[in-house]
């Protein structure tokens, strides 16, 4: 697949990874969904709120699903990894994400400009330093787990796999290289 | 896994193809037929359908091959090859299980800004750059069981560190050790002027544990051998030592020690062989 497709896919992965932040920002600021007007019986605060949130959560889940499928389409499998150590990283990555969600909740509509500036800076940094690991909490609901993997060569990688409770030294085959530090295991 | 070995002391490797569908395109890249093979001998030449081979011991396998297995087992530990690196490709190699096929890449296989006219359908002009011509012809083949096959030693030598130990030249110290043997009467030989061919033969002689030049029995055998082939010009002095005063004398002594003088079974003539090998190695 061409380099352009790969860049687009990595961009989608990053957006989907941080989409929860956007969700919380939208929720706290009670933005309306563009071009969507609810029928009168659904326009009450509670009903409208629930419908909007369900729709947005569904969109987030859908977007994360698309990012996963796009990865499987664009990145070829066949890579191998010989792990000497394995460690789940949800426990270290989740607090970072929760922190981002809390920040998003604290950003009011009057802070929209600052929010956009922060986002642009993060995007530039993402493009310059490709050492991102695309942790996406929604993928956890798809059954994926994230591990930090160390090899005999002393390198550290992120492995995304549906296999749970992995421990110790293991060999992995048929991995998809998302970037030089993040690998996605084919479904077994 | 299809990998590229880069030039340089570190000899880093990069992934070229890892996906099954890409590897499948390399089905034309196959090991050579190993029916016509011979133990490597630098003094001999090879026919076009023949291959040299050497058998690697455990240490040699580790020294020469371990690096090639490393990254296919864990390709994550290296990176895919980048277009900037194509000029540094020294070899391409394909790992299939324990077998490895190698193709040396020299500058004549690198494609820089070449234009082709393609004739499949309507003629179209194609420009290729940053490409490597891959002939699919292996220069070396490792069978995974300790045997390395190759066509040309100088071509594959940079790919296998330590392979020169098989056919190495004697060091200065080894030349000195050889000429200082009590069995030789040496005079006027400059160690630095001993050529590569003789240096290799000295290394082989010193490494041959069956040839004990300090053993009186072996010494007498050699004197008798030289007496039967006096035309070879290997002379013995009054104390029974082999005389080495010139480069020619050295050559004659080395041929004697290598058992190169023989009598033709067919014509009865005294002959000198360019190379020798044990029969079981020669017909392997």
């Amino acid at each position: 697949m061409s380099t352009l497709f790969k860049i687009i896919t990595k961009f989608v992965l990053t957006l989907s990874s941080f989409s929860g932040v956007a969700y919380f920002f939208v929720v706290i600021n009670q933005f309306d969904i563009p071009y969507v007007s609810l029928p009168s019986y659904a326009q009450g605060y509670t009903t409208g709120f629930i419908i909007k949130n369900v729709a947005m959560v569904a969109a987030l889940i859908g977007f994360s699903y698309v990012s996963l499928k796009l990865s499987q389409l664009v990145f070829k499998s066949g890579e191998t990894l010989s792990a000497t150590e394995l460690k789940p990283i949800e426990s270290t990555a989740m607090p970072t994400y929760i922190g981002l969600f809390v920040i998003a909740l604290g950003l009011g509509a009057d802070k929209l400009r600052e929010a956009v500036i922060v986002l642009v800076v993060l995007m530039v940094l993402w493009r310059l330093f490709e050492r991102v690991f695309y942790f996406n909490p929604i993928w956890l609901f798809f059954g994926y787990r994230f591990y930090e993997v160390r090899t005999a060569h002393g390198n550290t990688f992120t492995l995304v796999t549906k296999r749970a409770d992995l421990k110790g030294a293991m060999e992995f085959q048929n991995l998809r290289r998302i970037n030089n530090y993040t690998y996605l295991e084919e479904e077994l | 896994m299809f990998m590229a070995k880069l030039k340089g002391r570190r000899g880093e490797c990069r992934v070229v193809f890892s996906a099954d569908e890409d590897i499948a395109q390399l089905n034309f890249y196959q090991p050579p037929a190993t029916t016509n093979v011979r133990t490597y001998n630098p003094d001999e030449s090879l026919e076009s359908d023949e291959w040299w081979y050497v058998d690697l011991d455990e240490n040699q396998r580790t020294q020469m091959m371990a690096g090639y297995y490393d990254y296919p087992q864990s390709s994550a530990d290296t990176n895919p090859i980048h277009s900037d690196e194509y000029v540094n490709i020294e070899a391409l190699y394909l790992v299939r299980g324990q077998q490895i096929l190698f193709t040396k890449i020299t500058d004549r296989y690198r494609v820089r800004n070449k234009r082709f006219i393609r004739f499949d359908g309507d003629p179209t002009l194609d420009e290729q750059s940053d490409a490597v011509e891959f002939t699919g012809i292996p220069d070396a083949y490792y069978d995974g069981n300790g045997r390395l096959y190759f066509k040309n030693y100088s071509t594959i030598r940079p790919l296998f560190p330590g392979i020169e130990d098989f056919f190495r030249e004697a060091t200065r110290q080894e030349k000195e050790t050889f000429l200082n043997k009590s069995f030789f009467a040496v005079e006027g030989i400059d160690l630095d002027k001993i050529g590569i061919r003789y240096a290799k033969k000295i290394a082989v002689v010193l490494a041959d544990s069956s040839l004990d030049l300090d053993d009186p029995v072996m010494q007498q055998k050699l004197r008798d051998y030289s007496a039967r082939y006096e035309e070879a010009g290997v002379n013995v002095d009054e104390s029974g030592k082999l005389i080495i005063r010139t480069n020619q004398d050295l050559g004659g002594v080395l041929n004697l020690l290598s058992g190169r003088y023989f009598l033709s079974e067919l014509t009865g003539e005294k002959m000198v062989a360019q190379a020798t090998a044990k029969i079981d190695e020669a017909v392997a």
Side-chain angles (χ1 to χ4, degrees), chain B residues 5-13 68 87-91 104 110 158-159 161:
Chain B
K5 179 181 180 296
L6 304 182
K7 292 180 199 172
R9 254 179 342 122
R10 285 164 58 187
E12 293 174 14
C13 297
Y68 290 112
V87 291
N88 292 326
I89 296 175
E90 184 175 40
K104 182 90 187 295
R110 285 182 236 280
L159 305 182

Side-chain angles (χ1 to χ4, degrees), chain B residues 31-262:
Chain B
T34 52
T35 44
N36 294 329
V37 296
R38 291 157 64 189
T39 312
Y40 179 64
N41 190 326
D43 295 323
E44 294 180 11
S45 57
L46 211 55
E47 300 298 329
S48 60
D49 62 342
E50 292 178 326
W51 285 73
W52 296 121
Y53 75 88
V54 291
D55 286 318
L56 309 178
D57 62 27
E58 208 55 54
N59 286 337
Q60 288 162 334
R61 289 181 213 186
T62 304
Q63 186 181 7
M64 291 189 222
M65 296 299 162
Y68 290 112
Y69 286 118
D70 245 359
Y71 290 115
Q73 286 170 358
S74 190
S75 62
D77 280 309
T78 187
N79 295 327
I81 191 154
H82 195 268
S83 57
D84 290 348
E85 293 174 317
Y86 106 103
V87 291
N88 292 326
I89 296 175
E90 184 175 40
L92 295 168
Y93 66 99
L94 178 66
V95 181
R96 282 197 185 111
Q98 293 298 308
Q99 298 177 356
I100 313 178
L101 286 167
F102 301 87
T103 296
K104 182 90 187 295
I105 300 297
T106 55
D107 281 343
R108 72 184 178 103
Y109 293 110
R110 285 182 236 280
V111 176
R112 291 185 180 91
N113 301 321
K114 275 194 178 170
R115 292 185 184 84
F116 301 89
I117 299 177
R118 284 176 51 186
F119 292 97
D120 53 342
D122 294 332
T124 50
L125 186 67
D126 268 353
E127 190 165 329
Q128 294 286 343
S129 60
D130 295 346
V132 163
E133 180 189 349
F134 183 59
T135 61
I137 299 172
D139 292 307
Y141 163 58
Y142 179 64
D143 69 355
N145 291 320
R147 184 164 282 192
L148 176 67
Y149 299 89
F150 56 92
K151 280 276 195 183
N152 185 308
Y153 169 70
S154 56
T155 298
I156 57 103
R157 182 181 164 168
L159 305 182
F160 305 108
I163 196 170
E164 58 274 8
D165 287 347
F166 280 98
F167 340 101
R168 64 182 183 81
E169 302 159 25
T171 60
R172 198 173 200 284
Q173 190 177 353
E174 285 169 326
K175 290 176 195 173
E176 215 171 301
T177 302
F178 177 79
L179 292 173
N180 283 342
K181 291 281 183 189
S182 59
F183 187 44
F184 303 132
V186 179
E187 208 178 296
I189 295 291
D190 184 345
L191 291 179
D192 296 321
K193 289 195 176 151
I194 295 177
I196 294 173
R197 182 179 292 275
Y198 289 169
K200 283 182 181 174
K201 287 183 181 177
I202 288 172
V204 170
V205 164
L206 289 174
D208 187 351
S209 56
S210 64
L211 195 63
D212 184 358
L213 297 175
D214 298 318
D215 177 16
V217 173
M218 178 59 69
Q219 288 175 358
Q220 189 53 47
K221 275 188 187 174
L222 288 165
R223 284 189 208 102
D224 295 341
Y225 186 19
S226 75
R228 289 198 301 276
Y229 293 90
E230 56 186 16
E231 296 88 341
V234 178
N235 298 312
V236 181
D237 70 5
E238 311 81 40
S239 53
K241 296 184 182 184
L242 301 185
I243 296 171
I244 302 177
R245 292 198 185 120
T246 64
N247 233 23
Q248 194 174 355
D249 290 343
L250 178 60
V253 166
L254 288 170
N255 279 344
L256 194 81
L257 297 175
S258 307
R260 301 246 177 133
Y261 301 117
F262 67 100

Side-chain angles (χ1 to χ4, degrees), chain A:
Chain A
M1 276 280 171
S2 76
T3 310
L4 181 62
F5 277 122
K6 287 184 180 174
I7 291 173
I8 290 170
T9 304
K10 288 178 186 177
F11 186 67
V12 167
L13 281 168
T14 305
L15 278 183
S16 130
S17 175
F18 291 106
S19 54
V21 175
Y23 167 73
F24 281 105
F25 183 74
V26 168
V27 160
I28 199 64
N29 290 289
Q30 298 182 36
F31 290 133
D32 284 323
I33 302 171
Y35 308 113
V36 174
S37 52
L38 296 172
S40 55
Y41 61 84
Q43 282 184 6
Y45 176 73
T46 305
T47 311
F49 181 77
I50 291 171
I51 291 174
K52 280 184 201 173
N53 276 278
V54 166
M56 286 177 58
V57 168
L60 286 179
I61 293 173
F63 188 45
S64 291
Y65 184 77
V66 164
S67 70
L68 179 62
K69 289 299 162 189
L70 206 54
S71 308
Q72 291 170 345
L73 187 69
V74 168
F75 299 108
K76 292 183 182 178
S77 61
E79 301 277 354
T80 57
L81 196 155
S82 186
T84 53
E85 278 176 43
L86 282 158
K87 190 171 77 173
I89 57 173
E90 288 94 350
S91 56
T92 48
M94 279 308 293
T96 305
Y97 273 79
I98 292 169
L100 285 171
F101 298 157
V102 168
I103 291 169
L105 288 171
L107 285 172
D110 58 331
K111 294 278 193 329
L112 185 60
R113 186 178 57 186
E114 284 81 356
V116 169
I117 290 170
V118 167
L119 198 64
V120 167
V121 168
L122 285 174
M123 288 291 116
V124 169
L125 288 173
W126 165 82
R127 191 64 194 99
L128 287 175
F129 304 109
E130 238 213 23
R131 223 284 194 210
V132 294
F133 60 6
Y134 303 111
F135 178 78
N136 189 332
I138 298 175
W139 285 16
L140 299 175
F141 295 104
F142 297 154
Y144 284 90
R145 295 289 178 266
F146 293 76
Y147 294 89
E148 182 181 278
V149 173
R150 184 176 276 273
T151 66
H153 288 267
N155 297 315
T156 306
F157 304 95
T158 300
L159 174 68
V160 184
T161 174
K162 280 204 165 184
R163 291 196 268 174
D165 303 327
L166 296 180
K167 290 174 188 169
M170 290 184 71
E171 305 284 331
F172 295 94
Q173 313 286 330
N174 257 338
L175 301 177
R176 295 185 192 276
R177 184 188 294 249
I178 308 298
N179 63 29
N180 286 336
Y181 297 95
T182 307
Y183 291 83
L184 173 64
E185 187 175 33
E186 275 289 286
E187 293 189 33
L188 299 175

